[in-house]
Amino acid sequence: MTSPTPLPTPVRRYARVLSIAGSDSGGGAGIQADLKTFSALGCYGMTAITAITAQNTCGVTGIHGIPPEMLKAQIDAVVQDIGVDAVKIGMLHSPDVVRVVADAIRTHRLPNVVLDPVMVATSGDKLIADETVGVLVRELFPLVEVITPNLDEAGWLLGRSIETADALPEAAQALLGLGARAALLKGGHLPGHWVVDLLAVHGGVTQRLESPRIATHNGHGTGCTLSSAIAAFLALGEPLTLAVEHARAYILGAIAAGADVTTGRGHGPLNHGYAPLVQRVLQA
């Protein structure tokens, strides 16, 4: 009589989130903000750096792009050994870099990809070449779970300005028309005492998210932090609408907790670690 085959031992692992983005030497945005966010939300963070920037709270003084083959090597090394449950994509400064990332998503079948189309820093410094925008739309929009542009970025993508909250639904649908599966259009740049964001899902729901505006000069890295928080909650198994709600609640808390803290002479960062969660261990 043969012995029964033993059941496989469950594998205990972390929720793994990969950030493909640029480095911010000031620590408030980019890769640095992403890693802080992943850790604060109980996830294991990994990185593939697309560019190195020299910047602080006052502005960007230099950008050095990482060669595309080195970016590919970083992604391959992480995926082939550790694995990935979600991806946050930030600064992609050139068409070749965009193509490397798109190819990696297809080759490795990377799940739960959040694209923050970073184009301009909080200081107003431009972070992306003009010719990259079209490649970004064609190559990446159809591959990702959600895009998270602010109004300036959405205006650049659509070729027109978005000046009122009433214009958000039509603009969000236009972004879906560019090939995105879902778009979280962030209305924080609109005037008023309330911040209005809009989540539109292709063929599905449109969700309006509102909150009182928090008075602060510390908004550096807000977009990076929100998109990385969405990726973290997706890695933890939440559906997109819930991940967006929880990510938005996290970032509002981080803004409020750092609103009156002075870091540098310009736009300071959020308080990413205001309420850290214990790193989650999942069963696979």
Side-chain angles (χ1 to χ4, degrees):
M1 182 176 179
T2 59
S3 299
T5 303
L7 295 174
T9 302
V11 176
R12 302 178 74 244
R13 62 171 182 81
Y14 301 120
R16 306 155 298 181
V17 193
L18 170 63
S19 172
I20 305 174
S23 169
D24 172 7
S25 55
I31 288 285
Q32 287 81 352
D34 296 345
L35 287 176
K36 292 173 187 178
T37 302
F38 300 154
S39 294
L41 296 177
C43 294
Y44 181 82
M46 304 163 290
T47 64
I49 298 175
T50 62
I52 300 169
T53 68
Q55 67 175 294
N56 52 32
T57 63
C58 297
V60 180
T61 58
I63 300 175
H64 175 72
I66 300 299
E69 59 271 18
M70 184 59 192
L71 173 60
K72 179 181 184 301
Q74 292 177 81
I75 299 172
D76 290 346
V78 168
V79 174
Q80 292 167 3
D81 176 40
I82 301 170
V84 172
D85 296 304
V87 180
K88 176 266 172 76
I89 300 174
M91 177 184 173
L92 303 177
H93 60 284
S94 73
D96 287 343
V97 165
V98 173
R99 293 186 184 101
V100 164
V101 174
D103 184 64
I105 294 172
R106 288 189 291 260
T107 300
H108 298 298
R109 298 182 180 179
L110 297 179
N112 298 319
V113 182
V114 179
L115 172 61
D116 185 27
V118 177
M119 298 178 181
V120 180
T122 304
S123 59
D125 294 289
K126 193 174 177 182
L127 298 173
I128 187 172
D130 290 339
E131 63 269 21
T132 306
V133 178
V135 180
L136 189 77
V137 171
R138 290 193 304 273
E139 294 282 341
L140 280 180
F141 274 31
L143 300 179
V144 305
E145 185 78 10
V146 62
I147 61 172
T148 62
N150 61 31
L151 294 186
D152 291 337
E153 293 157 350
W156 198 348
L157 290 165
L158 297 175
R160 63 179 184 274
S161 61
I162 304 164
E163 299 180 352
T164 66
D166 290 339
L168 294 180
E170 192 277 332
Q173 291 300 319
L175 290 170
L176 297 184
L178 294 178
R181 300 177 193 171
L184 176 63
L185 184 53
K186 300 173 296 190
H189 291 175
L190 292 173
H193 298 296
W194 284 79
V195 174
V196 179
D197 302 327
L198 195 78
L199 174 65
V201 180
H202 185 72
V205 69
T206 298
Q207 185 174 4
R208 185 181 173 105
L209 302 150
E210 300 183 56
S211 57
R213 188 178 300 278
I214 300 169
T216 180
H217 196 60
N218 298 328
H220 182 52
T222 304
C224 300
T225 300
L226 179 60
S227 55
S228 57
I230 295 171
F233 284 115
L234 290 174
L236 290 167
E238 293 189 355
L240 178 61
T241 53
L242 193 58
V244 168
E245 290 178 14
H246 285 165
R248 201 171 181 277
Y250 164 74
I251 198 170
L252 290 173
I255 293 171
D260 62 352
V261 180
T262 299
T263 306
R265 299 189 304 274
H267 296 280
L270 318 180
N271 184 342
H272 293 91
Y274 80 100
L277 303 176
V278 175
Q279 194 161 49
R280 294 274 295 275
V281 177
L282 309 178
Q283 296 284 357

